[in-house]
Amino acid sequence: MSAPDGNPVGSERSMGQLFATASTEMSALVQDQIAYARALLKQDVKRGATGSALFTAALALLVFSLPMLSFALAYGFHTWTGWNLAWCFLLSFGASVIVALLLAALGTVFVKKAKKSRAPQQVSAEVKRTAEVLQNAKPHPRPAVVTVDPYAKQLDSVARSTS
C-alpha cells in the first residue's frame, strides 16, 4: 500500500516524510476550504446583485414608463368602461403601482436570501474545528524499540579493566 504521494505507508517512511505529507495535506485542506468560502461568497453576491437589479427595474418601471403607460391605460379604460377620464387615469396609475410593488417584493426575497446566508461563518467555524482537532491530535503510540548493541558488554568490560 502506498500514500497518495507514492511513498510507502508504514514503518518504511521516515518521520520527516510523514510530517511533510501531513503538512502538504493540511495546506491542501486549508486551500480547499478557502476556495469553498469564496464560492459561497460569490453566490451570495450574485443573489444580492439580483435583488438590487430587481429593485432598480421596479424603480425604472415606475419612473420612466409611468407617463406613457398611464395615458394608454387611462384612454383604454375610458373606451372600455365609459367612465370619467379622471377615474381612468387613477386606475391606470394603480395598475402601474401594483406591478412595481410585485417587482419590489421579488427583490426583497432575493436580498433576504443573501442576508440570511451564513456560509462564510460556517466555513470559518469548520476551519477552526479542523485546527482544534489537529492541535489536540496525538501520535499513535508505538512500542518502545529496544536496541541491542552487541559491543556494549565488550566496551563495558574494557572500561572496567583499564581503571
Side-chain angles (χ1 to χ4, degrees), residues 2-157:
S2 64
D5 60 0
N7 292 330
V9 176
S11 62
E12 296 90 13
R13 296 176 67 186
S14 70
M15 285 299 287
Q17 289 173 329
L18 291 172
F19 184 75
T21 302
S23 64
T24 302
E25 290 175 3
M26 180 64 180
S27 175
L29 175 65
V30 169
Q31 289 175 357
D32 288 345
Q33 288 178 335
I34 289 171
Y36 179 61
R38 283 183 183 162
L40 292 175
L41 284 172
K42 193 176 198 180
Q43 183 181 15
D44 291 343
V45 167
K46 282 183 181 180
R47 284 182 181 156
T50 302
S52 297
L54 288 172
F55 276 125
T56 304
L59 183 63
L61 175 71
L62 192 61
V63 171
F64 294 117
S65 68
L66 192 60
M68 286 192 295
L69 182 64
S70 294
F71 277 101
L73 284 175
Y75 283 113
F77 289 146
H78 179 68
T79 303
W80 182 53
T81 61
W83 293 345
N84 186 355
L85 202 52
W87 289 110
C88 293
F89 273 99
L90 284 175
L91 186 60
S92 67
F93 174 74
S96 297
V97 168
I98 288 172
V99 170
L101 289 175
L102 288 174
L103 288 173
L106 283 173
T108 303
V109 168
F110 277 98
V111 169
K112 282 185 180 179
K113 280 185 181 180
K115 283 184 180 180
K116 273 186 180 180
S117 177
R118 299 283 182 228
Q121 292 85 357
Q122 289 172 348
V123 171
S124 175
E126 189 175 325
V127 169
K128 287 178 184 177
R129 280 192 303 259
T130 302
E132 287 174 4
V133 166
L134 290 175
Q135 285 176 353
N136 295 331
K138 296 179 182 171
H140 183 69
R142 299 184 189 271
V145 178
V146 179
T147 58
V148 178
D149 189 5
Y151 302 108
K153 288 183 181 179
Q154 292 174 357
L155 288 175
D156 190 35
S157 64

